[in-house]
Amino acid sequence: MGSVSDSSKVSPVQSFGFEIPVECPLETVFAVYTDIKRWQNRNIFGEIRWVQGEPWEEGSRLRIETLTPLETAIDQVVQHFTPKESVSYLSHVLGITCETRVVFRGVPSGRTLIRVSMHLVGTLSRSLGFAIEPVIARSTRGFFEELAKECEWVFGSGSGLSSEPGQ
């Protein structure tokens, strides 16, 4: 098969995945992950808010503003949500659609394993001067590494968290 050089064509799907071990129980990890207020104006994020539907219900929409590496807005639509198990969503940013699946699994010794898989499709104007896909991959992995640190801090501090998904 030949490659397509016409930038107006849709690029092939690019995929990546990774696992992040977290040294605390599944309940803590899930509570921290779903607490969007915890992530506002922190790390790479600016404002994060639900713009349609009830939080974490299928079809609900979340708007996430990023501050770095690019100031932009990401629109996410929840496709699937099973508490303390998995979340799937579509994200739209800069002409790219990202399908993401996050699986949470409790493992022995009270630890948690997070598995993330992401598929990206779309085209982006070359006006940025660099490929956006590696930036998305690094930012996504960076978020989950920060999530692990935050969960371990919360668990170690004895902070009481609700196991209900956050607003």
Side-chain angles (χ1 to χ4, degrees):
M1 296 186 121
S3 64
V4 176
S5 61
D6 180 354
S7 64
S8 67
K9 302 283 185 195
V10 173
S11 64
V13 173
Q14 296 186 22
S15 300
F16 66 89
F18 54 89
E19 293 182 343
I20 301 286
V22 188
E23 299 295 324
C24 66
L26 175 63
E27 292 76 16
T28 301
V29 173
F30 204 78
V32 170
Y33 175 79
T34 57
D35 182 3
I36 67 167
K37 290 180 183 176
R38 177 178 295 277
W39 301 107
Q40 288 193 110
N41 301 306
R42 186 169 168 197
N43 194 7
I44 65 170
F45 303 115
E47 186 177 351
I48 303 171
R49 69 186 182 284
W50 292 101
V51 294
Q52 183 178 330
E54 293 298 316
W56 300 110
E57 285 188 2
E58 291 178 18
S60 61
R61 294 178 180 267
L62 190 63
R63 181 139 176 114
I64 302 166
E65 295 175 359
T66 61
L67 304 175
T68 64
L70 294 172
E71 273 191 50
T72 191
I74 302 167
D75 293 309
Q76 287 187 344
V77 179
V78 176
Q79 292 183 299
H80 170 80
F81 180 82
T82 302
K84 300 179 196 167
E85 186 178 302
S86 64
V87 178
S88 297
Y89 50 87
L90 289 178
S91 303
H92 304 285
V93 62
L94 300 171
I96 304 252
T97 297
C98 310
E99 180 181 24
T100 306
R101 179 166 174 82
V102 184
V103 176
F104 302 85
R105 186 170 57 102
V107 294
S109 304
R111 296 173 39 237
T112 303
L113 184 64
I114 303 172
R115 285 194 177 121
V116 179
S117 61
M118 191 173 228
H119 307 284
L120 301 105
V121 67
T123 58
L124 180 66
S125 164
R126 297 290 177 215
S127 63
L128 290 175
F130 59 89
I132 192 66
E133 293 85 352
V135 174
I136 292 171
R138 276 193 310 275
S139 296
T140 301
R141 184 175 187 94
F143 166 76
F144 282 97
E145 289 169 348
E146 285 298 312
L147 171 67
K149 290 176 190 172
E150 180 74 5
C151 291
E152 291 164 1
W153 178 83
V154 166
F155 183 67
S157 72
S159 173
L161 284 176
S162 168
S163 60
E164 293 300 313
Q167 303 279 324

